[in-house]
Amino acid sequence: MSDAAALRTAAARHVANLRRIPQRVAQLAHFDTTANLLEADFRAYDQEIGDQVMHLETVQRCHNEQMHSVARLAFSPDLTVVASDGTRLPACRATFMAASPELKAMLSSGTAEENENEIRPEVTAEALRHVLMLMHFPSLDAPRQPPFAVLLEASSLATQWRLDDVMTSLVTTMTSKHGAVLPSLEDWIAALSSATLHIEADESNHWWQEMAEAAAKALAVATPGALASTPSLKELGERSICKLLNCLEPSKLELPSL
């Protein structure tokens, strides 16, 4: 092969290599993009795994605490809570004192209740039993949800005792659109009335604000005939009626005479 032919062959090879450079650059860019995406996916996966581990650890700690509560409650209850009908329910002093500053002060003040190891709230046994269950076993589902009226009464007790976690659980259950409890119009009217009274006592109580909003909206979407035929509607106070009017559509503003 002549020198000229050899040079042409070498030049053609170099030109072909040069022409492949953009293709290789594009392949490297695609590789870098893919590698970056995979790295981001792995970081998100690691974060998700870490979050799940933290959640499981929290659940395990909660279950361990509840197991200790079960053991104390079963074998060494040191407090009795008496309902208004005289029903006596066992409880753990440590759980009560840790639940809220209100209960801690009640059990630490040397009152007659503290000396007798008894607390006597003015509530029904069913409402009291539900509050105690939420206090001692917050992450366990109730075998059956009590009626709405019982949950409402339990909410008043939780407010009195300043049980924030219990109150959150109760309000979530009562206002959930997909919950096991299906309130009647009578229930919502009672909730609106009760919420209004609690808000008058404490305007900053966001749980009762949420309850009042949910009750007013539930009543506002009821048919005018059904709402007008509900006897307890006439017992609503002025603030409750104003709350309801704010949620009513203009076409439903013809309320029955109160």
Side-chain angles (χ1 to χ4, degrees):
M1 180 183 295
S2 64
D3 291 343
L7 286 173
R8 282 196 296 273
T9 300
R13 188 167 57 252
H14 286 303
V15 169
N17 289 335
L18 289 173
R19 287 175 176 171
R20 282 196 291 269
I21 287 177
Q23 181 182 0
R24 291 179 179 176
V25 169
Q27 289 175 342
L28 287 173
H30 177 69
F31 176 81
D32 289 341
T33 301
T34 303
N36 290 335
L37 290 174
L38 287 174
E39 184 179 1
D41 288 343
F42 279 123
R43 284 199 299 267
Y45 180 74
D46 286 342
Q47 181 65 42
E48 182 180 353
I49 292 298
D51 292 343
Q52 291 180 358
V53 169
M54 290 180 61
H55 174 69
L56 290 175
E57 289 176 346
T58 300
V59 170
Q60 184 178 12
R61 284 197 299 270
C62 184
H63 285 173
N64 289 339
E65 291 173 0
Q66 292 186 38
M67 288 175 62
H68 289 303
S69 293
V70 170
R72 289 195 300 267
L73 199 57
F75 302 112
S76 57
D78 53 2
L79 188 66
T80 301
V81 190
V82 186
S84 56
D85 64 354
T87 300
R88 303 173 66 84
L89 300 174
C92 298
R93 177 183 294 268
T95 299
F96 263 62
M97 296 187 73
S100 77
E102 184 79 11
L103 291 176
K104 184 176 181 180
M106 183 189 302
L107 294 171
S108 303
S109 61
T111 62
E113 288 180 329
E114 191 273 339
N115 292 329
E116 296 174 5
N117 290 324
E118 288 186 359
I119 297 179
R120 295 176 174 270
E122 290 298 321
V123 294
T124 63
E126 193 171 3
L128 179 58
R129 188 176 288 109
H130 194 67
V131 169
L132 293 182
M133 186 201 72
L134 291 175
M135 288 176 63
H136 289 84
F137 319 113
S139 67
L140 296 182
D141 294 331
R144 66 173 184 85
Q145 286 294 350
F148 190 89
V150 173
L151 296 177
L152 191 60
E153 185 182 13
S155 299
S156 294
L157 179 60
T159 301
Q160 178 186 341
W161 285 352
R162 298 185 183 179
L163 302 172
D164 293 352
D165 292 339
V166 172
M167 194 63 186
T168 298
S169 176
L170 288 167
V171 172
T172 299
T173 299
M174 288 188 287
T175 59
S176 174
K177 295 181 180 179
H178 307 289
V181 179
L182 298 176
S184 64
L185 290 180
E186 291 279 1
D187 289 332
W188 282 127
I189 290 172
L192 180 57
S193 179
S194 181
T196 302
L197 291 176
H198 283 284
I199 292 170
E200 288 176 350
D202 180 8
E203 291 280 352
S204 65
N205 192 311
H206 64 89
W207 292 288
W208 287 109
Q209 295 278 5
E210 182 180 346
M211 176 61 67
E213 188 74 17
K217 288 181 177 179
L219 294 171
V221 298
T223 60
L227 192 59
S229 63
T230 306
S232 58
L233 181 66
K234 297 182 179 181
E235 300 175 6
L236 285 178
E238 292 182 3
R239 292 191 62 172
S240 298
I241 293 174
C242 290
K243 186 71 175 179
L244 176 57
L245 289 174
N246 287 335
C247 294
L248 279 173
E249 297 177 3
S251 60
K252 293 184 178 180
L253 286 179
E254 293 185 7
L255 291 175
S257 61
L258 302 179

